[in-house]
Amino acid sequence: TQEESIPVFKEKKIKQLSLNDIFYFEAVDNKTFVYSATDVYQTNLKLYELEVRLTNSYFIRTSKSLILNVMKIEHVTPAFNSRFEAELENKEKIIISRKFAPLLKKKLGI
């Protein structure tokens, strides 16, 4: 069964963040950041661990360093070199690499 939240921390405060509130996870310099509509948190989980935990969810890997919640996508447009650009509900733009584009198409049913 899908877990409904994950532990995150910000400024030494730890809390459980609902998966519904998470836009994406990004790995930068051996740290995993968790992005919501208004905040950025950190988690001790690695992307590959998150990928396993989120297997049967709305989250997909979109590049080597990013896992995206497809429910937060406003729209998707084809980009250069068989990639896609997803604009999220918060107007951020995420590039879906060529390698992960088929997974996105499958998840979105296109």
Side-chain angles (χ1 to χ4, degrees):
T1 62
Q2 178 183 338
E3 294 186 39
E4 297 300 317
S5 64
I6 62 149
V8 296
F9 59 92
K10 181 180 182 177
E11 297 161 7
K12 297 186 182 175
K13 294 178 185 160
I14 301 168
K15 73 176 206 171
Q16 289 289 323
L17 187 61
S18 168
L19 292 178
N20 294 332
D21 295 333
I22 297 170
F23 278 63
Y24 61 94
F25 300 94
E26 185 176 31
V28 181
D29 296 332
N30 281 331
K31 293 180 181 152
T32 305
F33 294 95
V34 183
Y35 293 81
S36 71
T38 55
D39 270 311
V40 180
Y41 303 93
Q42 263 186 271
T43 182
N44 289 327
L45 297 165
K46 301 287 183 204
L47 283 188
Y48 71 88
E49 294 171 318
L50 286 164
E51 214 172 6
V52 170
R53 286 173 82 153
L54 301 170
T55 299
N56 296 316
S57 72
Y58 293 114
F59 287 85
I60 61 163
R61 191 75 169 243
T62 59
S63 68
K64 196 173 94 177
S65 62
L66 202 133
I67 296 174
L68 175 66
N69 181 348
V70 296
M71 298 307 286
K72 300 296 183 186
I73 295 175
E74 192 73 35
H75 62 265
V76 177
T77 50
F80 179 70
N81 212 4
S82 301
R83 298 181 306 174
F84 285 91
E85 181 180 86
E87 185 171 316
L88 307 183
E89 291 172 0
N90 63 357
K91 303 302 175 207
E92 267 192 84
K93 289 182 168 64
I94 300 289
I95 294 292
I96 291 94
S97 73
R98 182 175 55 213
K99 178 180 175 184
F100 296 100
L103 187 59
L104 174 75
K105 286 180 173 179
K106 183 180 177 191
K107 202 66 136 176
L108 294 177
I110 55 173

